[in-house]
Amino acid sequence: ADEVPEIDPHSIAVLPFTNRSPVAEDEFFIDGIHDDLLTNLARVGDLKVISRTSVGRYRDTEKSIPEIARELGVGTIMEGAVQRAGNMVRINVQLIDAKTDEHLWAEIFDRELSTQNLFAIQSEIAEKIAESLQAQLTPEETRQLQSQPTENLAAYSAYLRGIRDFERREIGAMQNALAEFRRAVELDPEFAQAWAGIAYVASVMPAWGGLTEEEGLTIAEPAAQRAMEINPELGESQLAMAVIDEDLQARGEV
């Protein structure tokens, strides 16, 4: 018989969140919360987190939790739903043991819609997951989970729209993404993720014909440097700077 691979007890897949808002446009907001949660979980070195690309194909799936878990090779699954109404947001999440299909933890968060509340909810969810899976959090990981990238809700919304547009991988959408990231840093000049977004989009746009290589580097390099100045420990800042360094090396300028 084929040997069944051992499942890492610290492994988790967070399925795309369900949009329970009456407005379809809220989809970008809900996907952004899901993406931020994955980013937070990925910062916990003791966890094995399945990528957003891999879990994305299970959006609106009719497959059972054990089925999905077997296909992804994880021990736990998280499901969630978000409802946004006026100045309130409800986030409903449940952590499920894939083997038994039983709930390990579930919570409903009803909060006023603000960046402080959104980031606090994401931090609490990530810490609860780590606790449920008996994953060890270092003091640095705890500090990162509790960090607040921006206090400006409009800047955060612009950033999420930028992420959504960039992922479409079309030149028009990339131009929109660049504009949204720029709007985010105008609203909050200390928003490191948005500066990193500018750098990353501008660095890849030349391959799509949206900018010349010179134009892309002129935009991307100072944006990546600004992201590093604000938060050099941030993964997005480091990635943006690494992409710029690679471009400079390719041009023989480093």
Side-chain angles (χ1 to χ4, degrees):
D2 292 337
E3 184 178 348
V4 178
E6 185 177 350
I7 300 297
D8 188 332
H10 295 160
S11 59
I12 180 171
V14 182
L15 301 183
F17 288 170
T18 301
N19 179 11
R20 290 186 178 165
S21 300
V23 182
E25 177 64 15
D26 283 346
E27 196 71 46
F28 84 90
F29 174 78
I30 292 161
D31 285 346
I33 292 176
H34 175 260
D35 196 47
D36 275 353
L37 179 58
L38 285 179
T39 300
N40 277 337
L41 291 174
R43 291 182 175 134
V44 181
D46 210 18
L47 289 178
K48 175 191 172 184
V49 184
I50 301 301
S51 72
R52 180 176 49 79
T53 302
S54 295
V55 298
R57 67 179 185 268
Y58 295 101
R59 185 187 299 275
D60 301 323
T61 184
E62 294 182 0
K63 291 184 176 182
S64 68
I65 293 298
E67 244 185 310
I68 296 170
R70 279 195 301 271
E71 292 178 6
L72 293 174
V74 296
T76 48
I77 297 282
M78 169 162 277
E79 293 182 310
V82 182
Q83 183 174 357
R84 180 177 175 180
N87 67 338
M88 297 297 294
V89 63
R90 166 174 284 193
I91 301 178
N92 184 342
V93 292
Q94 47 193 0
L95 188 65
I96 303 167
D97 185 311
K99 185 181 293 184
T100 64
D101 206 10
E102 295 179 350
H103 287 76
L104 296 172
W105 172 73
E107 189 69 66
I108 297 175
F109 300 90
D110 282 311
R111 304 283 172 82
E112 183 179 354
L113 184 57
S114 70
T115 54
Q116 182 177 3
N117 285 338
L118 287 174
F119 294 133
I121 291 170
Q122 292 172 22
S123 174
E124 185 174 340
I125 292 172
E127 290 176 358
K128 284 286 188 182
I129 289 173
E131 179 184 338
S132 296
L133 301 187
Q134 298 182 343
Q136 297 298 316
L137 283 172
T138 67
E140 175 59 23
E141 288 168 350
T142 300
R143 188 183 68 79
Q144 288 186 13
L145 288 179
Q146 294 174 350
S147 66
Q148 185 170 327
T150 179
E151 296 180 358
N152 190 308
L153 185 59
Y156 183 57
S157 295
Y159 172 74
L160 295 183
R161 286 193 296 270
I163 294 291
R164 173 201 61 186
D165 290 337
F166 176 68
E167 289 173 352
R168 291 177 179 172
R169 295 296 196 273
E170 300 170 355
I171 188 58
M174 286 190 181
Q175 290 169 337
N176 290 340
L178 186 57
E180 292 290 356
F181 289 140
R182 281 173 159 166
R183 184 175 295 112
V185 299
E186 286 173 5
L187 292 165
D188 181 2
E190 300 300 310
F191 194 175
Q193 280 98 329
W195 283 109
I198 291 173
Y200 197 72
V201 172
S203 67
V204 302
M205 277 181 69
W208 294 78
L211 295 170
T212 66
E213 289 188 3
E214 193 65 37
E215 289 170 336
L217 189 60
T218 299
I219 296 170
E221 187 173 10
Q225 290 172 345
R226 181 69 182 122
M228 288 293 289
E229 288 171 4
I230 297 168
N231 191 346
E233 298 176 358
L234 186 70
E236 291 92 332
S237 300
Q238 295 170 1
L239 175 61
M241 201 69 244
V243 170
I244 301 307
D245 288 343
E246 185 177 335
D247 287 347
L248 291 172
Q249 289 175 2
R251 293 159 61 97
E253 297 182 19
V254 175

